[in-house]
Amino acid sequence: MYKALIVYFYRSVRDVNATILQFYVKQIIDHLFEYDKKKEKHMDQSANTCWPGFIAGCEALDPKLREQISDWLERSGRSTGIRMFIVALEALQKVWQTRSLPGMQNAPWNRVLEGFSELRVLV
């Protein structure tokens, strides 16, 4: 959660380029996977927290990191039945599609999602 707050702060408040934050994005994803391993080891069936994964996914630039967070959100949604994970994944895909357009590489995720009425709830 802490690293996700750092990423959120630097992108939303300080408007730092996402490239600078990739170290934190990778750490967030690594921590989410480690947490899942601990939950599995202790047979913990509780739901994951979506927000850190959503923030990491919004700022992930590396296709491998994007694939990892997509898998994590899908798996979390399937294992819990909580639709929030699937909605977050849909939002990430919209952000990634928009950022692939010329001149939109550093577009803030909240501005991207404002254009999609069904995803405004996340903004």
Side-chain angles (χ1 to χ4, degrees):
M1 187 66 79
Y2 175 72
K3 302 291 182 179
L5 285 169
I6 288 173
V7 170
Y8 179 80
F9 172 78
Y10 278 110
R11 280 294 282 156
S12 297
V13 176
R14 302 294 296 242
D15 195 27
V16 170
N17 190 296
T19 305
I20 296 169
L21 300 172
Q22 292 310 291
F23 173 75
Y24 293 115
V25 169
K26 183 171 178 1
Q27 279 189 327
I28 294 166
I29 293 169
D30 290 345
H31 290 168
L32 293 172
F33 277 82
E34 283 301 312
Y35 183 66
D36 279 353
K37 288 178 189 174
K38 297 284 185 197
K39 282 177 38 176
E40 189 175 311
K41 178 182 176 186
H42 297 286
M43 293 186 270
D44 181 353
Q45 298 296 315
S46 63
N48 287 324
T49 303
C50 185
W51 190 77
F54 173 72
I55 293 299
C58 281
E59 305 308 338
L61 300 177
D62 182 346
K64 182 181 175 193
L65 293 176
R66 288 179 175 183
E67 183 179 332
Q68 287 177 328
I69 202 64
S70 293
D71 292 345
W72 183 82
L73 287 166
E74 253 183 66
R75 190 172 54 253
S76 296
R78 240 187 354 262
S79 69
T80 63
I82 299 174
R83 180 142 167 72
M84 158 183 59
F85 293 100
I86 305 308
V87 171
L89 179 56
E90 291 170 10
L92 290 181
Q93 291 166 343
K94 300 284 188 195
V95 170
W96 298 337
Q97 287 169 355
T98 301
R99 287 187 179 163
S100 70
L101 301 173
M104 298 296 286
Q105 292 80 2
N106 203 38
W109 62 266
N110 53 348
R111 294 232 172 80
V112 171
L113 297 180
E114 284 176 350
F116 299 95
S117 60
E118 72 277 11
L119 298 172
R120 269 193 211 135
V121 65
L122 296 170
V123 177

